[in-house]
Amino acid sequence: MSFKLPSLQYDYKSLEPYIDAATMEIHHTKHHAAYTNNLNSAIEGTSIDLQPIEEILREVSKHSPVVRNNGGGYYNHNLYWEIMSPKGGGEPNGTLLKRIQADFGSFAEFKDKFSAAAASRFGSGWAWLVLRDNKLVIFSTPNQDNPLMDVAEVKGFPLLGLDVWEHAYYLKYQNRRPEYIQNFWNVISWDAVQHRFESAR
Ligand code: MN
């Protein structure tokens, strides 16, 4: 069995003007496809080729850097497409909003802290909102690492992830990563994040 590149639930152009169609198409059909193919090649015929991706990542230190980089890339991009929507933006509600207010003070403070984590990640990586021991935590990881990995500095279940590799924004924003981060808030599907929050608890 091998991992499959997922289809997106929306058109490449539907996140415009915040994320442009060309970036979306290249990101999905080239970058995410390459992570998926490279992961499949790396695990083919090995003892882990029947494992769910979460299990592979949980013990990723036992595997090669190829599995770490491409397994992370496969999982992270699945999450990234899932938590965005043309109908996104606004604020969460219900249990997730209450938890954000309890752990960060307010939605505005949470937004500032997450944006700062994304802006300050040096080079390529991801910013995360993670549920750990029933508390929300914000941090960032280098490369394609994520909080499910045993090698991660902070471990937990990822609820929201923002790709800050240059391939995620360079065509439209060039060096203006903060502008990409600011516009990301317009496409976050809080329904999808809430769903992940509920499934994690
Ligand atoms: Mn990417």
Side-chain angles (χ1 to χ4, degrees), residues 28-63:
H28 182 236
T29 63
K30 306 291 183 195
H31 293 276
H32 196 188
Y35 295 124
T36 307
N37 293 336
N38 293 339
L39 172 64
N40 286 332
S41 307
I43 64 175
E44 193 183 352
T46 72
S47 61
I48 57 170
D49 78 351
L50 293 173
Q51 286 185 4
I53 187 65
E54 291 84 356
E55 274 180 42
I56 293 174
L57 299 179
R58 207 168 290 133
E59 298 195 316
V60 84
S61 62
K62 293 182 180 170
H63 311 307

Side-chain angles (χ1 to χ4, degrees), residues 84-139:
M84 293 195 291
S85 164
K87 294 175 187 146
E91 295 187 9
N93 49 43
T95 51
L96 178 60
L97 181 62
K98 284 202 181 73
R99 176 44 57 112
I100 285 173
Q101 289 166 337
D103 290 348
F104 301 109
S106 66
F107 180 74
E109 284 173 80
F110 153 72
K111 194 173 163 180
D112 286 349
K113 203 174 171 199
F114 186 92
S115 297
S120 63
R121 164 51 53 188
F122 185 77
S124 298
W126 290 74
W128 301 104
L129 173 68
V130 164
L131 189 66
R132 185 180 66 158
D133 302 330
N134 214 30
K135 282 208 73 139
L136 297 175
V137 186
I138 289 168
F139 66 104

Side-chain angles (χ1 to χ4, degrees), residues 27 77 163 167:
H27 205 169
H77 290 85
D163 188 346
H167 69 226

